[in-house]
Amino acid sequence: QVQLVESGGGLVQSGGSLRLSCVASGRTFNSYAMGWFRQAPGKEREFVAAINWSGGSTSYGDSVKGRFTISRDNAKNTVTLQMNSLKPEDTAIYYCAGSDSAWVQPTTKYNYWGQGTQVTVSS
């Protein structure tokens, strides 16, 4: 059974930084793509970032490009989202997600989800 556990959320002022981590268990971590999504109150879930099995390919949502960085440490079964220059509109619950595909593509599906971690950015 795949389990994803996020940590690192919290309250930060506009312009600040946060680092989210997701630890995976239950399968061979280094074979699959991983992603981050977020959902704000009253809004649909939004793609934030994704990384392929090796960490050699990444993809970002338009609203976070240049500010967020996704990375992974396959030795520690961990994927990380470094968030800089945070804005109030980044406030949301952030979810770690795992795919059954090794690659990051627009059609990549994510079948495994963490419980989410709250990120709040004050103005």
Side-chain angles (χ1 to χ4, degrees), residues 27-72:
R27 66 172 182 177
T28 305
F29 179 74
N30 62 9
S31 297
Y32 303 101
M34 298 292 295
W36 287 94
F37 291 75
R38 66 186 183 187
Q39 188 165 21
K43 295 188 176 181
E44 293 187 352
R45 187 172 61 195
E46 177 187 14
F47 169 75
V48 175
I51 189 166
N52 78 331
W53 67 277
S54 68
S57 177
T58 58
S59 177
Y60 295 92
D62 289 341
S63 61
V64 306
K65 283 181 181 177
R67 299 188 298 122
F68 291 11
T69 302
I70 188 171
S71 60
R72 67 190 295 160

Side-chain angles (χ1 to χ4, degrees), residues 3 11-12 14 19-20 27 36-37 49 52 64 71 79 88 104:
Q3 288 191 320
L11 173 64
V12 64
S14 181
R19 186 178 181 90
L20 305 183
R27 66 172 182 177
W36 287 94
F37 291 75
N52 78 331
V64 306
S71 60
V79 60
V104 173

